[in-house]
Amino acid sequence: MARLPAGPWAVLGPLLWGCALALHGGMLYPRESASRERRELNGLWKFRADFSENRRRGFEQQWYRTPLRESGPTLDMPVPSSFNDVGQDERLRSFVGWVWYEREVTLPQRWTQDLGTRVVLRIGSAHYYAIVWVNGVHVTEHEGGHLPFEVDISKLVQTGPLSTCRITIAINNTLTPHTLPPGTIVYKTDTSKYPQGYFVQETNFDFFNYAGLHRPVLLYTTPTIYIDDITVTTDVDQNTGLVYYQIYIQGGKDFQLEVHLLDEEGQVVAQEVGSQGQLKVPDAHLWWPYLMHEHPAYLYSLEVRLTAQTAAGSVSDFYTLPVGIRTVAVTKNQFLINGKPFYFHGVNKHEDADVRGKGFDWPLLVKDFNLLLWLGANSFRTSHYPYAEEVMQLCDKYGIVVIDESPGVGIVLTQSYNNQSLQHHLEVMEELVRRDKNHPAVVMWSVANEPASFLKPAGYYFKTLIAHTKALDPTRPVTYVTNSNCEGDLGAPYVDVICLNSYYSWYHDPGHLEVIPLQLDTQLENWHRTYQKPVIQSEYGADTIAGFHHDPPLMFTEEYQKTLLEQYHLVLDQKRKDYVVGELIWNFADFMTNQSPQRVMGNKKGIFTRQRQPKHAAFLLRDRYWKLANETGYHQAALKLQCLRKSPFTL
C-alpha cells in the first residue's frame, strides 16, 4: 500500500472519498459556534431495571408514555457511567435485559419558538441496543454500544407552549451470536440446581460487559440549512501541504460555501469556495507523532461558513474542524508516517475504571494521557471497541497514534460468520469510519480482535469486510489482530499489516520464561516469511498482582512480569531492524472481567493498577520507550520532551 505520488493523488483524492462514502448523514462532533449551541445532559437521570421474568414489563406497561416515577420506584443514576457498579443491589451487577433511563429537560425559549432552529438529540454511547422516546413519542433506535447516534427532535419540541421535554431511553445489554461483540444466552434447565427460567450471558472476550449510557448525552442546535458532514484527506508535495475537502449540506440546495484554513496562530494560510476542493499550504507544518518531531501534533483549523437565502431571510452556519496534514503508507517491512519509518511503542487500553465502569470521565482521561506521555508511549490500540470521541481528540492534540478497532472481539462461533453478522459488521465499520475519518491520529483500522479466523467462512467474511473498509477509506491501511497460526489464518492475506497476539510462558508453557525467545522468533519469522508484510506485536504480557514479589521470578509477581517483558524485548530488538514495526503491551492498566477462577478481581496484566499506580514493569517500559524514541533519528525532539518529564514519576 505505497503512498500515491502527489500528481495522481491530486486527481484521485477527492474522487475516492466521493465514491466511497455512501453513508446516510454525517456525524460531526457537536461544537459550539456562532450558529450552533450545545447543552450536555450529564448528571443524574431516573433509572429502573426491568427485573420481570421476560424483561418486557416496561413495554407491556408502556413506561415511556408517562414520567418513569409514575410506574414505580426509580433510582438516581449518573450519566455518563455504567449502571453495574454504582448501586448496592447485587442484581444490577450482572443484570442482563432492559434498563430504563429518563431525564426531563427545560429548553431555552429560542429553541422551542424559532422554527429556523433545528434541535438534535445526540447519544454518545448506549450499550447495547437502545430505543429512544421524546415526550412519549418514539424517535429512534440504535444497535451497537460504542458509537454515537442522533435524531432531529425539532417537531416534538416546537409544537406548542411547552418549554420542557422528557427523554426516555431503554437499553438492552443482551449479546447474541450476531451482535458486536457476540455472546450467547444460556438457559440452565436443571431445576435441581437452578431456579425456573434461570439464564446467564456467556461471552468469548476477557472484559466485563458493562452497560448503560457510557458517554455524554446532549442536545445541540443548527440552522435548518446546515453543514451535515465534512470529509478531509491530506497529502504532501515536497514542502506543500495538500488538503482535500468535501462538504455535505442538508436542508436546501441554494447556498454558498466559504472555506478557510487557519494555522495555530489564527492566520489564514489557504482559502477556497464551494463544496469540494483543494487547499495548498506552502511550507506546511506536518502532523507528527509524539517524540517524532520537536513540534508534534500540529493542527490547522478548517473553518467552513455556509450562507443561504430562505423565505425567512439569510441563514448562516459555521463549523470548525481540526486538521492535521500527514501521510500514511505501508511497505513490506515498514510503516511510514510522512514518509519516515514509524515504530509503534505503546499500549493497549480499555475504557474501564472503579465505580464508573466504562463511563466517560475527564479527570481519568487526562490522567491516562499524562501517564502515556510520561511513559514515552507514542501509540495505542482502542482494544476492543471504538473509544469516546474526546479520546480521539486528545490523541490528535498530543500526537498519540491510534489503531482504531471495531467491537469485533470474540467472533469464535460459526454462526457469527453468517450474512446477518457480516451485514451488521459492515454497518459498524461505516459508522466508525464516518465518525473518525478526519482524525490525523488514526493511522489504521482494525476490524476485529482474535477471531476464529481458521473457520472456513472466515476467509470470505474478512475479505468482504476489509474490502468494504478500504472502500470507505482508501487512505488508511486495514488490519485485524490475530492469535491464529499463519498456516490456518484465512483472513490474513487481506490485511495490510500483520498484528500478532502471543502470551509465551503465560498461557503457553506457563512459568517457563526461558522458552520465550525461541518461540517468539519462530512465530515472527513464520508470519513474515509467509506474507511479506510488516508485523506488530500487538499483545504480550503477564498477570501481576501489585506488591507480589519473588526471586527467582514466579508467576503473578512483579519480577515475573518484568522478566517476561525483557525476554520479549530481546527478540523484538532484533526483528525491529527488519520487519517488526511495533510493540503494544497488554495492558496499560488492570481492568474488570467476568468472575472466574482465573481472574482475581479482573485482568491484572496492566503495567499500572486499575487506580493508575505503577508496577515495576511501568518503569521498565518507560526506560525502553524513551530509548526507542532516542534511537529513531529524532532523538533531539525526544530528548527535549524527556527533559520536561525527567522526574522518575512526576507528571
Side-chain angles (χ1 to χ4, degrees), residues 160-172:
L162 291 177
S163 61
T164 63
C165 72
R166 178 170 47 85
I167 300 167
T168 308
I169 306 174
I171 303 173
N172 192 324

Side-chain angles (χ1 to χ4, degrees), residues 176-177 182-184 202 204 410-418 421 452 455 457:
T176 75
T184 53
E202 292 191 350
N204 288 290
I411 308 176
V412 301
L413 302 175
T414 302
Q415 56 264 47
S416 294
Y417 286 97
N418 68 12
S421 295
L455 294 176

Side-chain angles (χ1 to χ4, degrees), residues 280-334:
K280 293 185 177 181
V281 186
D283 300 317
H285 299 281
L286 302 186
W287 188 95
W288 289 98
Y290 176 54
L291 300 180
M292 202 172 174
H293 193 271
E294 189 173 356
H295 301 289
Y298 193 95
L299 292 174
Y300 292 89
S301 296
L302 187 78
E303 292 189 352
V304 180
R305 176 174 181 171
L306 163 73
T307 305
Q309 296 297 324
T310 69
S314 179
V315 173
S316 296
D317 190 22
F318 304 87
Y319 191 87
T320 300
L321 179 74
V323 171
I325 299 175
R326 63 103 181 94
T327 64
V328 173
V330 172
T331 70
K332 74 173 185 178
N333 60 359
Q334 289 183 316

Side-chain angles (χ1 to χ4, degrees), residues 127-128 144-147 177-183 204-207 381-386 404-412 416-417 421 424-426 428-429 432 445-453 461-462 465 479-483 501 539:
H127 187 72
Y128 173 78
H146 307 92
L147 290 164
H178 310 300
T179 59
L180 281 182
N204 288 290
F205 51 82
D206 190 31
F207 56 91
R381 173 170 62 120
T382 66
S383 46
H384 298 297
Y385 39 80
D404 206 351
E405 189 161 272
S406 85
V409 57
I411 308 176
V412 301
S416 294
Y417 286 97
S421 295
H424 178 53
H425 207 152
L426 296 173
V428 169
M429 292 310 301
L432 177 56
W445 307 110
S446 172
V447 299
N449 177 75
E450 296 186 354
S453 49
Y461 187 98
F462 285 109
L465 182 61
T479 189
Y480 67 79
V481 177
T482 184
N483 62 351
N501 293 350
E539 287 185 26

Side-chain angles (χ1 to χ4, degrees), residues 500-550:
L500 301 177
N501 293 350
S502 63
Y503 290 92
Y504 299 125
S505 90
W506 191 257
Y507 297 125
H508 307 282
D509 298 299
H512 293 279
L513 294 163
E514 68 277 5
V515 305
I516 293 174
L518 175 60
Q519 294 183 0
L520 180 59
D521 183 272
T522 300
Q523 180 196 42
L524 294 173
E525 285 293 310
N526 286 343
W527 276 93
H528 189 256
R529 183 172 56 252
T530 301
Y531 292 105
Q532 295 294 300
K533 298 175 181 179
V535 177
I536 295 175
Q537 183 68 49
S538 44
E539 287 185 26
Y540 69 108
D543 281 86
T544 305
I545 309 297
F548 275 31
H549 297 283
H550 198 280

Side-chain angles (χ1 to χ4, degrees), residues 229-280:
D229 198 13
I230 304 170
T231 298
V232 168
T233 60
T234 65
D235 200 1
V236 180
D237 184 5
Q238 298 181 351
N239 292 327
T240 300
L242 305 175
V243 178
Y244 303 95
Y245 69 87
Q246 186 157 0
I247 303 167
Y248 301 86
I249 305 300
Q250 293 286 353
K253 296 182 179 179
D254 183 16
F255 57 84
Q256 295 81 43
L257 282 170
E258 298 177 20
V259 180
H260 296 84
L261 191 70
L262 281 64
D263 62 18
E264 289 187 348
E265 285 70 46
Q267 300 300 310
V268 175
V269 296
Q271 58 188 15
E272 261 294 349
V273 295
S275 59
Q276 66 179 33
Q278 178 195 77
L279 300 169
K280 293 185 177 181

Side-chain angles (χ1 to χ4, degrees), residues 15 40 93 121 124 137 173-174 206 258 343 351 368 376 432 446 458 464 467 527 539 565 569 572 603 631:
L15 293 179
E40 292 195 0
R93 180 62 173 64
L121 170 64
V137 178
N173 63 344
T174 303
D206 190 31
E258 298 177 20
Y343 189 80
E351 291 185 318
D368 281 1
L432 177 56
S446 172
T464 304
W527 276 93
E539 287 185 26
L565 300 190
H569 297 161
L572 293 172
N603 188 305
E631 291 177 358

